[in-house]
Amino acid sequence: MFGNYLNIRLDKYAYPLIVPVLYLLMMSFFMTEHTLFEEWDGVLQLWAGRQILQGQEYAGWPSKFWPPLYPLLVGILDVFLEGHTAGKIVSFFSSFLMLIFTYGICKSLGCNEWYAILGQFTLASIPLFMVSSIQVENHMLDSMLYVGSIYFMISYVENSSKNKIVLAGIFSGLACMTRYTSYSIILSVFLLYILYYTFKNNSNKEISGDVLKYALYFSVTSSVWWFFNMIENGSPIYNWNYLNIGAEVYPGGADEFWWHSQVFVSSTIDIILKYPKEYLSNIYLNIIETANLINNVKLVGVSAFISIPSILYTIIDRRYQGLILFANVLVYVMVVSQAKVFGPIFLAWSAILTCTYIKSAQDYVLSSDVINYPISMVILYLIPSVLFVFSINNTMDYVMEDNDYISKDKDVGLLTCRKKVTNRLKKFDEEIKNKTIMSVHPARAYYLGSNWMMFPTHYTGSATGLVEYKNLSKKVIEYAPKKPLSTEQHSLRSDYLIFDGKSKDYIPHLSFLSNPKSNKLPPSFSLVMKCKNVYVYDV
C-alpha cells in the first residue's frame, strides 16, 4: 500500500532482502574495524573449534557450557580465515538471516510488505543487535536459529504446511546445538500444538503425526551431539550450567563459588536443597530484571514502549500465533531466570517484540479514520531512524576503542597494553608458542599463540602456588578454563604470569605483585616488563 504512493513495484522475493543487504553493506565496515579479540567466551570457543577440526574431541571448559555448533562453524572458517575474523563472519551472516526471518514473522502475523520491511529496519536499529552482529559470541547464531524456528512454527499454524513443521524441528535442533537455553522452545511447542489442535478440533491422529514429525527432525538434528555427550558424560544434555545458578545464589559470591565452593554441589537439585531461599529469591529478582530489560530501548528498540501490550494484542488478534510467541517468552524467562539474565540472552526477543510492535502499529494506523497513511508511515520509519543513528554511534565507539587501543595503547581493561605485551614476550622467548601464559583474559594467549591457564578470581594461597593451581580441588582444576582444553593434556604449570589491575582486585593479598621491588616477591619471579598497570613475570 505504501509502495503504491511511491509507485514502487518489486518482486515478492526482493522485499525481504532490501534491509538485510543494505545492513550487511553498512556493517561490513564495522566488522573490519573491530580488530581486538575482547570477547572472552569467543576465544575459548575458537580454540574448541580448532580442536574439533584437528580430529580431537570437543572437550574442556567450552564443552561443559555450550553445545558444539558455534565452535564447529568458527573452526571450519578458521581454516581459511584468521580466527577472530572467522567468529565475526558467523555472527555477521546470522544477523542477515535473522532480519529475513523477522520479515517472515511480520508477514505471518498479517503485516503488509512495507510494514514487514519496517520491522526489519526497526530491529536493525537496536544497539544490542548492531553490536552483536560483529561479535565473536554465539548469541547472534543462537538467536537467529531460535527466531527461525519460531517463524516456521507460526507459518505452519498459518497454513498447515508440512514442510514448515519439518523446518521448525530442524531449526529448533540447531538452536539447541548452540545454547542450552534454547531447549526452552521444546516444552512450549508441544503444549501449544496440543492446544492448537484442541481448539481446531483436529483428530488425535493428526496431533500425534505432526508432533512426532517435529520431534523426529529435532532429534535427528541433535542426535550426533546427544550421542557424543551420552558416551562421554552419561547424559545427552549433560552440562555444567548448574554452576551458573550456583554462582548467583551462593552467599559468599560468584568468584568464591567458582574457585572453591562449587565442590559442595553437583546439580541444580543440590543447589535448590542447599540454598532454597536464595534460589527462589534469585528467580524473583531475575523476573523483575527481565521486565526491565524488555522495556529497555537499547535492548529491544522502539518496541520497548509497548512490548507487553503488543504481545497481548497479538494473542487477541492472532490467537494461535500469539499463543506460540507468548508461551515461548514465558518458558524462556523461567529457564534463564534460574541463573542470571543479561541483555544478549534476550537478543532473539528483540526480534519477536519488534514484530508484535509492528503488527500493533499497522492495525492501529489502518483502523484509524484520522491518521493519514503515508504520513504515518514516514513517522513510523522516522522513529527507528533516530535510534539507528544512535546505534551507529554506539557501534562506532565500540570498534574505535579497538583502534585507539592498538594505536595509542589506550587502557581498555583486561587487555591493557596487549600489543606491547605480545611483542615483548615474542622477543623475550622465541619458544613462547610452546609455553603457558596465566592471565585473566584468554586473548593474551591467543595473540601469542601459546597455551593458557586462567588467573583464578579467588585464591587464598601463595604466588608460587597460584601459577600451578596448588591446593585447588580436582573438580575446580577440571573446571578451570585453559588451553589445551582437556585437563589430561595440561601440565598445570604456567611459565609466565600477566598480573594487571583486575588481577589485584581479584586477589588483594597478592597485590605486592604490582610492586616488582617488594620483598614479598618470590625468588622465582622475574619481571619481564611493565606497561601501565600490567606486570609480566617469568615464573
Side-chain angles (χ1 to χ4, degrees):
M1 187 178 294
F2 185 55
N4 294 338
Y5 287 94
L6 300 178
N7 194 30
I8 295 176
R9 296 289 186 275
L10 295 173
D11 184 270
K12 66 177 181 178
Y13 297 109
Y15 285 104
L17 295 175
I18 296 173
V19 172
V21 169
L22 292 175
Y23 181 78
L24 280 195
L25 291 174
M26 182 196 74
M27 290 303 295
S28 60
F29 165 77
F30 292 109
M31 189 186 73
T32 55
E33 288 295 308
H34 174 37
T35 54
L36 182 66
F37 207 159
E38 54 83 22
E39 301 93 334
W40 198 98
D41 293 343
V43 180
L44 272 294
Q45 292 174 351
L46 169 63
W47 285 341
R50 286 176 174 175
Q51 187 167 296
I52 295 172
L53 267 290
Q54 290 168 1
Q56 303 176 43
E57 64 182 11
Y58 182 47
W61 197 83
S63 70
K64 300 299 190 291
F65 289 94
W66 303 294
L69 182 59
Y70 182 78
L72 179 60
L73 292 177
V74 175
I76 292 171
L77 289 177
D78 179 60
V79 175
F80 309 100
L81 302 167
E82 178 266 338
H84 189 227
T85 301
K88 290 186 292 182
I89 289 290
V90 175
S91 296
F92 191 57
F93 284 100
S94 294
S95 66
F96 175 85
L97 292 174
M98 190 165 166
L99 287 169
I100 292 176
F101 288 134
T102 299
Y103 179 94
I105 292 175
C106 287
K107 288 287 290 179
S108 294
L109 293 178
C111 297
N112 66 37
E113 288 83 359
W114 291 100
Y115 273 94
I117 290 174
L118 174 60
Q120 292 177 306
F121 179 55
T122 303
L123 175 62
S125 72
I126 299 174
L128 172 65
F129 182 86
M130 195 173 287
V131 170
S132 298
S133 300
I134 57 173
Q135 286 186 317
V136 186
E137 298 277 4
N138 58 18
H139 295 296
M140 183 59 79
L141 175 64
D142 174 63
S143 297
M144 179 273 292
L145 294 168
Y146 196 94
V147 170
S149 64
I150 290 178
Y151 161 66
F152 290 120
M153 289 174 202
I154 64 176
S155 297
Y156 167 72
V157 170
E158 182 182 24
N159 55 34
S160 297
S161 168
K162 300 302 180 183
N163 291 332
K164 296 294 175 63
I165 196 68
V166 169
L167 290 171
I170 292 172
F171 270 73
S172 295
L174 291 173
C176 294
M177 286 275 286
T178 308
R179 291 184 71 92
Y180 286 110
T181 50
S182 291
Y183 276 93
S184 62
I185 203 170
I186 306 304
L187 178 60
S188 55
V189 166
F190 283 103
L191 288 175
L192 284 167
Y193 279 148
I194 293 172
L195 287 173
Y196 168 67
Y197 283 119
T198 301
F199 292 147
K200 289 279 191 176
N201 296 318
N202 288 58
S203 67
N204 289 332
K205 183 178 180 180
E206 189 170 1
I207 295 173
S208 301
D210 287 325
V211 169
L212 287 174
K213 183 176 288 187
Y214 174 90
L216 173 64
Y217 282 92
F218 170 80
S219 299
V220 169
T221 304
S222 306
S223 60
V224 175
W225 171 237
W226 284 351
F227 178 77
F228 172 82
N229 215 4
M230 174 68 79
I231 297 298
E232 288 293 314
N233 302 302
S235 169
I237 56 172
Y238 175 86
N239 62 83
W240 285 354
N241 281 292
Y242 73 91
L243 293 176
N244 289 321
I245 300 174
E248 294 301 313
V249 305
Y250 178 67
D255 292 328
E256 183 178 333
F257 177 81
W258 285 119
W259 292 92
H260 178 261
S261 299
Q262 61 158 291
V263 296
F264 303 117
V265 296
S266 57
S267 67
T268 302
I269 298 299
D270 286 350
I271 293 169
I272 295 173
L273 293 176
K274 199 171 184 65
Y275 309 109
K277 291 182 180 179
E278 291 85 353
Y279 176 78
L280 293 174
S281 175
N282 187 57
I283 290 178
Y284 170 76
L285 293 174
N286 278 323
I287 291 174
I288 299 299
E289 180 62 16
T290 296
N292 293 330
L293 289 174
I294 64 175
N295 287 284
N296 187 325
V297 175
K298 291 183 179 180
L299 301 181
V300 296
V302 179
S303 64
F305 300 114
I306 57 168
S307 56
I308 301 300
S310 69
I311 289 181
L312 296 177
Y313 172 77
T314 305
I315 294 174
I316 295 171
D317 183 68
R318 298 262 170 166
R319 179 168 62 176
Y320 308 118
Q321 291 97 325
L323 281 172
I324 286 178
L325 298 180
F326 179 74
N328 275 286
V329 170
L330 191 63
V331 175
Y332 188 84
V333 168
M334 292 308 298
V335 169
V336 300
S337 292
Q338 294 182 88
K340 181 180 180 179
V341 297
F342 55 99
I345 65 173
F346 287 100
L347 182 60
W349 295 106
S350 64
I352 304 302
L353 294 173
T354 293
C355 293
T356 57
Y357 155 75
I358 294 298
K359 169 62 176 172
S360 303
Q362 174 188 274
D363 288 2
Y364 177 76
V365 169
L366 295 181
S367 64
S368 174
D369 296 326
V370 178
I371 301 175
N372 180 274
Y373 184 82
I375 293 177
S376 69
M377 287 298 293
V378 171
I379 294 173
L380 286 172
Y381 271 89
L382 185 62
I383 294 172
S385 296
V386 175
L387 183 60
F388 191 76
V389 172
F390 171 81
S391 296
I392 289 176
N393 185 64
N394 179 71
T395 307
M396 182 70 74
D397 288 342
Y398 175 73
V399 299
M400 286 300 107
E401 185 175 69
D402 292 358
N403 289 338
D404 287 344
Y405 169 74
I406 291 172
S407 60
K408 302 175 184 178
D409 224 20
K410 182 180 177 182
D411 185 345
V412 292
L414 298 176
L415 291 173
T416 303
C417 296
R418 192 278 304 171
K419 193 172 184 180
K420 287 185 177 181
V421 169
T422 300
N423 291 338
R424 176 66 180 124
L425 280 174
K426 285 183 175 180
K427 290 180 181 178
F428 181 80
D429 189 342
E430 294 182 355
E431 298 296 321
I432 193 68
K433 291 186 178 182
N434 299 319
K435 302 296 177 64
T436 299
I437 307 297
M438 174 174 279
S439 63
V440 177
H441 203 297
R444 297 281 192 187
Y446 166 79
Y447 286 111
L448 288 165
S450 62
N451 293 327
W452 178 71
M453 292 169 63
M454 183 180 177
F455 183 93
T457 56
H458 174 83
Y459 188 72
T460 57
S462 65
T464 52
L466 173 78
V467 297
E468 58 184 36
Y469 288 164
K470 188 174 182 180
N471 296 328
L472 293 181
S473 70
K474 182 179 179 181
K475 182 180 180 183
V476 169
I477 292 175
E478 183 185 5
Y479 148 77
K482 61 183 81 71
K483 177 196 175 190
L485 299 172
S486 60
T487 307
E488 296 76 19
Q489 293 176 296
H490 205 66
S491 64
L492 295 179
R493 180 68 167 83
S494 61
D495 300 292
Y496 295 94
L497 170 65
I498 299 178
F499 191 86
D500 56 26
K502 196 67 176 177
S503 306
K504 184 167 62 174
D505 293 340
Y506 284 132
I507 310 180
H509 76 274
L510 297 182
S511 60
F512 62 83
L513 290 171
S514 59
N515 178 15
K517 297 181 180 180
S518 172
N519 56 14
K520 295 182 180 179
L521 199 70
S524 59
F525 279 47
S526 173
L527 184 69
V528 176
M529 70 169 293
K530 174 188 178 299
C531 178
K532 295 188 177 181
N533 65 345
V534 179
Y535 299 82
V536 181
Y537 290 97
D538 180 347
V539 297

